[in-house]
Structures are given as C-alpha cells and as structure tokens.
Amino acid sequence: MKHVARQRAAAVAALLAASVALTACGGGNKESAAKATDKASGSPAAQVADPIVTTYDGGLYVLDGKTLKLAEDIPLAGFNRVNPAGSDRHVMVSTATGFQVLDAAGRKLTDVEFEGSKPGHVVRHAGRTILFADGTGMVTVFDPKDLGDTKPKAETYTSAAPHHGVAIQLADGKLVTTLGTEEKRVGIAVLGKDRKEITRSEECPGVHGEATAQGETVVIGCEDGVLIYKDGAIKKVKSPTEYGRIGNQAGSDESPIVLGDYKKDKEAELERPEQVSLINTETGKMRLVDIGTSYTFRSLARGPHGEALVLGTDGKIHVIDPETGKVTKKISALGSWQEPLDWQQSRPALFVRDHTAYVSDPSSKKLLAIDIESGKQLASTELPKAPNELSGVKQH
C-alpha cells in the first residue's frame, strides 16, 4: 500500500472544541475516567461500550460495539486510518501529522499525538503498542495502559533510513524491525534490548506487513515468500511461484499458522487474487488455498479459535481451517462487490473481536455485526456517510 500526502483542515481543532468539551482524567488510572460532554445538556456523556470506529470522508464515527448505535460523529478532514491502540478504550488514528489518540469509549479525539510524517503500521504485542512512521523511520514503543489525556512515556528507535516499514517488540524486549529505504525494502533486523543488532536477513524483497503466531513466532511478508523469526533465528520460506507477494498477514495466539494474502502477477495494475496463503511456522511450509473469489487487504482476520477468515468479493466470509486448508463454511454478509483501483477508496472491511465479525458495506452505508460460530447477524446500522477504514478497541 502506498501512503499519500494527507492534510487536515486548520479548522479541525475548532470543530472539535465546539462539539466536544474535554475534562481531565481524575486519579492515577488514565484508563478509567476521560469523559466527553453531551453537546445538548452539558452533562457527562455516556461511555461507549466496546466501541467500534470507522472512518468516512470527513471524519470518524464511533459506535456501540453491541448495538452498533452511532454514538459520536467526529469531524476530521483528510484520509485517516484507524487501528486498535491496545487498550479497552483507545484507538490510534493515523492523520497527516502523526498518530493521534482517540478515546473511543469517551467519544473524543484527544490532543495526544505521536508526531511523525507518513504514519504507518500500528502493532500490538506483549503488552506494548509499536508505531512505525514511514517518513522518518522512527519506531515508538509504549504501554497502552498509560494512554489518557497526556502523552505516555515512550521508547524510540530510528531506522537507518526512512521507509514504509513495520516493527514489533517481543516479550523479552527484542525489537524485530524492517530494513530498507524509500526506494528499496530488503528485509529485517533483530535488535536486543540495548538496540544493538543480533541478527538480520536481507532475503526479503519488498518487505511488508507482519503477524505473530503461537509461541511468539514473527512472520514478515516478502515479494517471494516470508521471513520467520523463531527461537533466535530467521528462516526464509519461499513462495511456490517466482513472484508470490505476501504483504498482509493475520496471526493468532491459538495457531502456529499465519494467514496471508497471495499475489502472483507482478505486472498487474491491480491484481484481484483468489488464493490466500497459510504459512506453517512449525514446519516452514506454505500452502495456497483457492477460495474461488477475490478479496482485498482489508479482508483478512482470525477467529476466536484461530480460524482463518477472508471476506470475499462474493459478499461472504470464508472460514478456513488453517491446519487442513479446507473452507469449512461461508457466512453470508453482503452482496457481491469489486475492489476499486485506488487503495484509499472505500471497500468492504472486516474487523474481528472475540466471537464477533464486524463488516462494513460502503455501497449501502451499512455496518454489520455477525456471530462467527452461528453466522447469525447480531446487529446492523445505516450510517450517514459511507464507511471506509474499520477498527475498534482491542486489548493484546
């Protein structure tokens, strides 16, 4: 995915001040008490239960995770992205100037921002949240429990050169981070707690994306396979085709197998793949699964038991047993759709939390909540504008 320049209108702060009055957190627990103020009455606004957040052209919608009732409409100009921040109330919003903290439970965009040009990947792992700013190559690591109305203490590491990258800090403090420049991305390096290099691999052209499997095994995507970091060593798993790009992955603590996308046409303006990859981090083998429909980078997720989930352009969630590669069921969610050429344009997205799959449908301006086991629709809502990015609060 290419990050393009994005600008926020200068009037954003004024709009937010007019719509949401902020109150300071009380006590020592920043997780607990940030309150928004109801615009009509001036009384404290109700906290949003298990909030879901979706972007639209011009702002953010905050919704109740159970009922999908629209709780707050927050104006925010520009193309913005959203990711779980690693706490039970916050979401990271990638804007033109950095990663801004949204108190989704409190229905407000805070003034807390981790500045950095071209904010990219947000990773949650082992009680830490890791940010990667593509424009500077800076990695920022913090404890999401410290998020609130003030900026939490953070550790930083600056890559040798800016690039579209990603990093993950492991439970023992080691940092796995990508290697590259703005022109060429080549692999990963593993750094100790002192940030001195332990090992590296430059056998990963076009390195992109990460996922963590059972046993804290890290999988990083390449244009010809993946790199696996496990037990102190880096191993390359090659794609079965000469060009076999894996750029988006979904891992689960419940499974040693990582779900990835799979593109094999290097010359395509926009390839609409119908195969996904399953990378077994125990055996070092890769399996391709033909799901009979195309999908996009917002289509991959994992279920509560490690199931591999893919939202297809046929409108169904394809549930795959990662051990066998068999599609065990298809859950109807939407009508058929087609991926747009521009990656920033709205397309259906899949976000999974616990046993619930949330699916956005820009064409009908709808958002759905579906029980993964039964396939039953739990809730739905129609939004004022078409949803784009989809996320929510989600702890590690």
Side-chain angles (χ1 to χ4, degrees):
M1 291 177 286
K2 296 179 179 179
H3 288 268
V4 300
R6 296 159 290 180
Q7 294 184 334
R8 285 188 297 173
V12 168
L15 285 168
L16 292 175
S19 63
V20 182
L22 306 182
T23 58
C25 282
N29 184 359
K30 296 176 183 177
E31 279 291 308
S32 63
K35 299 279 186 179
T37 300
D38 185 86
K39 293 185 285 290
S41 65
S43 61
Q47 298 286 292
V48 181
D50 302 320
I52 292 295
V53 178
T54 183
T55 66
Y56 66 88
D57 186 10
L60 309 167
Y61 291 133
V62 180
L63 304 99
D64 183 289
K66 297 288 194 299
T67 65
L68 296 186
K69 180 181 178 181
L70 180 58
E72 200 72 34
D73 180 351
I74 301 174
L76 186 62
F79 176 75
N80 304 294
R81 313 201 69 189
V82 285
N83 288 281
S87 79
D88 61 2
R89 66 179 301 127
H90 296 100
V91 167
M92 301 304 298
V93 183
S94 300
T95 70
T97 58
F99 301 91
Q100 194 162 356
V101 179
L102 170 67
D103 179 359
R107 299 160 53 173
K108 65 174 185 177
L109 189 64
T110 75
D111 292 328
V112 177
E113 182 182 44
F114 297 88
E115 295 181 355
S117 65
K118 300 179 182 178
H121 285 271
V122 178
V123 175
R124 301 166 296 110
H125 183 73
R128 292 293 182 269
T129 301
I130 306 96
L131 314 176
F132 196 102
D134 296 345
T136 62
M138 179 174 284
V139 178
T140 303
V141 183
F142 64 89
D143 187 337
K145 290 180 182 177
D146 293 336
L147 287 171
D149 282 345
T150 57
K151 193 173 181 178
K153 182 181 177 182
E155 299 177 24
T156 61
Y157 167 79
T158 302
S159 307
H163 63 282
H164 180 44
V166 67
I168 178 171
Q169 181 170 292
L170 304 180
D172 62 4
K174 291 187 180 72
L175 187 74
V176 181
T177 187
T178 51
L179 298 168
T181 66
E182 291 180 345
E183 290 75 33
K184 188 178 182 181
R185 305 193 303 274
V186 297
I188 62 171
V190 181
L191 313 177
K193 290 181 69 174
D194 58 3
R195 297 308 180 238
K196 292 182 178 178
E197 186 173 310
I198 297 171
T199 186
R200 72 163 52 197
S201 170
E202 297 187 18
E203 295 184 76
C204 190
V207 60
H208 188 277
E210 65 75 41
T212 309
Q214 193 176 63
E216 206 178 37
T217 302
V218 179
V219 175
I220 304 288
C222 317
E223 290 181 349
D224 59 357
V226 298
L227 294 179
I228 296 176
Y229 177 68
K230 181 181 181 181
D231 298 330
I234 302 171
K235 180 179 181 179
K236 177 66 177 280
V237 177
K238 292 187 176 181
S239 297
T241 55
E242 183 178 353
Y243 178 83
R245 182 182 186 272
I246 298 170
N248 300 278
Q249 308 91 38
S252 169
D253 291 339
E254 302 294 322
S255 173
I257 299 171
V258 164
L259 168 68
D261 56 0
Y262 195 79
K263 292 187 174 183
K264 54 189 178 183
D265 185 356
K266 188 175 183 178
E267 305 304 321
E269 179 184 9
L270 173 66
E271 183 177 355
R272 295 186 170 96
E274 296 192 358
Q275 289 180 312
V276 294
S277 56
L278 295 171
I279 302 101
N280 191 316
T281 62
E282 291 182 336
T283 65
K285 302 292 185 182
M286 182 188 301
R287 183 202 303 266
L288 300 183
V289 178
D290 194 330
I291 62 170
T293 185
S294 64
Y295 59 92
T296 80
F297 65 91
R298 292 188 186 143
S299 294
L300 307 181
R302 301 302 288 266
H305 309 295
E307 311 96 311
L309 307 176
V310 185
L311 176 63
T313 56
D314 59 356
K316 296 178 173 63
I317 300 173
H318 297 248
V319 182
I320 303 169
D321 181 337
E323 296 287 345
T324 64
K326 302 295 184 183
V327 177
T328 59
K329 64 179 174 180
K330 300 178 184 180
I331 302 172
S332 295
L334 316 169
S336 60
W337 53 281
Q338 186 178 57
E339 179 181 6
L341 287 174
D342 182 351
W343 74 270
Q344 291 189 358
Q345 285 185 290
S346 299
R347 81 281 312 282
L350 174 66
F351 175 71
V352 172
R353 187 170 59 201
D354 299 326
H355 295 260
T356 304
Y358 297 90
V359 180
S360 63
D361 185 1
S363 65
S364 65
K365 302 179 184 177
K366 287 185 177 181
L367 186 65
L368 312 172
I370 299 170
D371 180 77
I372 295 170
E373 273 85 4
S374 67
K376 180 182 178 182
Q377 182 173 299
L378 303 174
S380 69
T381 190
E382 186 171 341
L383 299 166
K385 293 185 178 181
N388 195 352
E389 292 254 333
L390 179 63
S391 189
V393 301
K394 196 173 185 182
Q395 293 181 290
H396 296 265

